[in-house]
Amino acid sequence: MSEHLMQTYARQPVAFVRGEGVWLYDEAGDKYLDAVAGVAVCGLGHAHPRLARALCEQAATLIHTSNLYRIPLQETLADKLCALSGMDRAFFCNSGAEANEAAIKLARLHGHNRGIDNPAIVVMEKSFHGRTMATLSATGNRKVQAGFEPLVGGFVRVPFGDADAVAKLAEYHNNIVAVLVEPYQGEGGVQIPDADYLVKLRQICDGNGWWLMLDEVQTGIGRTGRWFAFQHSGIRPDVMSLAKGLGSGVPVGACLASGVAADTFVPGKHGSTFGGGPLACRAALTTLEVMAEDGLLDHAQAMGELIKSNLATALEGVPGVREIRGQGLLIGIELDRPCGDLVKQALARKCLINVTSDNVVRLVPPLVIDRDEVNHLTAVLADLIRAFLA
Ligand SMILES: *Cc1c(COP(=O)(O)O)cnc(C)c1O
């Protein structure tokens, strides 16, 4: 391990040098089934031939020009994302945190435009929005914030999944401009709210003139079996942030907006040197193309159901398994005790899994995972969980 890396990660002692589909190969040539997918990033799996070809071609043609000029691939990607989501305009950046920064700035600017000089944004307990100063301040996890005070102000926090708590805020705050929420919480332990949660939030926002801003950094781009998780509930947000799965591993983020929100930024108000460059946009466009042509939304939905039913059968009646839940290929298995050790145990069995919120095994495999691969993953995992809880 290099002495010259800042110690920001507790890494597993393994390095992958090559990948193919859901499989990763280490330096010794051993292969691992990857149910982490770069943390919900590599939707097309590793080394997808079409993505690889598109990136090689693009790198040999043009990588970067800056936003001082028109970027046709960025325009095409904006058109495509708006067509898929029903949103009106996109701003491109390079990560989830940056996409949320854009959303937060947009909401604050909207407040100021309406004469609210201390605009506040409603955020949720157990939420995760990123590691920049504004996004870690919006995040509902003290571990992410501790040591970085003073935090950025202007956030009001309520429990996730509780629409009434959001509605109540209107009684004693007159400076709220927006609600920022993940449709399903990922880092917060794969939390799935009631099916009508977003519908209720939409109504509350409409009733008070607030924006509904969805952090779909983890849930977007097919992860939950639809292009965007909000499409399970039939509403449309004012603002939506995307990143993780958008470029299938090439860094690209986006903040999409509809209605008034789409026209709130004017030249000079926001920007990014790298955002929306030709290479990243080519990666995103190819990702969306392959997903549509290969029917990966329905496939993700079907494979997610298979994972849940396999695990439900294999773990039926096992004491210590609290809940198996999820939507599409965002799946959590909540145990009654901290289970970080399972990551190492799974690694020894050549499966990559992730544990979040201390006691929730999170599965976010590539969307291309097939039936046999699912059956292998769930067999190994059920084995490990049963032994771990015994
Ligand atoms: C991962 C994640 C982020 C942060 O994305 P980065 O690309 O790491 O900045 C923000 N919001 C959600 C919901 C995420 O899952």
Side-chain angles (χ1 to χ4, degrees):
M1 203 109 86
S2 171
E3 299 282 300
H4 298 290
L5 285 172
M6 287 198 195
Q7 302 292 295
T8 42
Y9 306 103
R11 300 175 197 266
Q12 298 299 323
V14 61
F16 300 110
V17 293
R18 177 169 83 79
E20 194 180 340
V22 302
W23 301 96
L24 281 172
Y25 296 78
D26 69 12
E27 291 161 308
D30 285 341
K31 75 172 191 176
Y32 298 70
L33 199 165
D34 182 10
V36 175
V39 197
V41 166
C42 307
L44 301 188
H46 301 286
H48 192 285
R50 276 201 38 203
L51 182 60
R53 221 177 308 124
L55 289 174
C56 289
E57 216 177 86
Q58 192 58 46
T61 306
L62 190 64
I63 292 178
H64 178 78
T65 56
S66 94
N67 287 296
L68 295 172
Y69 314 103
R70 282 186 50 213
I71 303 174
L73 283 164
Q74 185 184 121
E75 295 173 9
T76 307
L77 180 58
D79 292 348
K80 182 87 199 173
L81 286 172
C82 287
L84 294 175
S85 63
M87 305 296 280
D88 294 324
R89 292 188 198 274
F91 170 84
F92 290 101
C93 51
N94 313 286
S95 67
E98 278 178 87
N100 286 325
E101 284 279 342
I104 291 164
K105 282 182 69 175
L106 206 52
R108 283 187 168 200
L109 185 59
H110 177 59
H112 285 275
N113 288 346
R114 293 169 50 208
I116 299 172
D117 57 17
N118 61 339
I121 298 172
V122 179
V123 291
M124 305 302 156
E125 290 171 7
K126 290 186 163 187
S127 61
F128 184 78
H129 299 297
R131 300 279 194 167
T132 62
M133 279 311 306
T135 58
L136 76 82
S137 301
T139 289
N141 180 344
R142 274 304 296 161
K143 279 192 206 160
V144 172
Q145 298 173 337
F148 302 111
E149 299 82 358
L151 300 180
V152 173
F155 296 106
V156 182
R157 199 174 303 282
V158 296
F160 179 69
D162 184 349
D164 292 339
V166 176
K168 276 216 183 69
L169 293 173
E171 293 168 22
Y172 40 95
H173 288 90
N174 58 8
N175 60 336
I176 291 171
V177 291
V179 175
L180 173 63
V181 61
E182 298 152 86
Y184 310 112
Q185 288 184 336
E187 305 300 307
V190 189
Q191 307 295 340
I192 312 288
D194 290 346
D196 61 355
Y197 181 52
L198 289 189
V199 174
K200 285 183 175 166
L201 290 183
R202 181 71 272 177
Q203 285 166 352
I204 294 162
C205 285
D206 288 344
N208 290 287
W210 304 341
W211 284 353
L212 179 59
M213 307 203 296
L214 299 182
D215 180 345
E216 293 236 23
V217 168
Q218 185 154 163
T219 55
I221 315 297
R223 177 54 51 191
T224 74
R226 301 279 171 94
W227 286 112
F228 310 101
F230 76 79
Q231 291 171 330
H232 289 287
S233 55
I235 57 117
R236 188 181 72 163
D238 298 281
V239 177
M240 166 170 69
S241 49
L242 297 173
K244 291 200 165 89
L246 182 54
S248 245
V250 175
V252 49
C255 176
L256 273 64
S258 63
V260 174
D263 292 317
T264 297
F265 278 150
V266 293
K269 285 296 180 191
H270 198 44
S272 164
T273 297
F274 290 122
L279 189 73
C281 289
R282 186 74 185 267
L285 281 165
T286 307
T287 299
L288 298 176
E289 262 168 42
V290 172
M291 284 184 60
E293 285 171 25
D294 292 359
L296 288 185
L297 301 184
D298 289 343
H299 181 73
Q301 186 66 34
M303 293 303 104
E305 293 307 317
L306 184 62
I307 290 178
K308 282 190 291 186
S309 70
N310 279 1
L311 289 174
T313 306
L315 295 172
E316 195 186 340
V318 175
V321 178
R322 280 212 190 122
E323 194 180 21
I324 298 162
R325 58 177 177 253
Q327 182 66 253
L329 283 172
L330 173 59
I331 291 172
I333 305 128
E334 182 176 332
L335 306 185
D336 68 351
R337 66 200 75 170
C339 60
D341 250 23
L342 277 173
V343 171
K344 255 193 193 63
Q345 295 174 17
L347 187 69
R349 297 278 304 269
K350 305 282 186 269
C351 283
L352 306 181
I353 61 164
N354 172 251
V355 167
T356 174
S357 255
D358 288 339
N359 65 334
V360 181
V361 175
R362 176 175 47 171
L363 303 177
V364 281
L367 307 185
V368 296
I369 191 169
D370 71 19
R371 213 157 260 280
D372 290 343
E373 291 157 349
V374 162
N375 290 336
H376 175 69
L377 172 67
T378 53
V380 170
L381 195 58
D383 236 34
L384 287 172
I385 290 175
R386 225 182 288 107
F388 179 78
L389 293 170

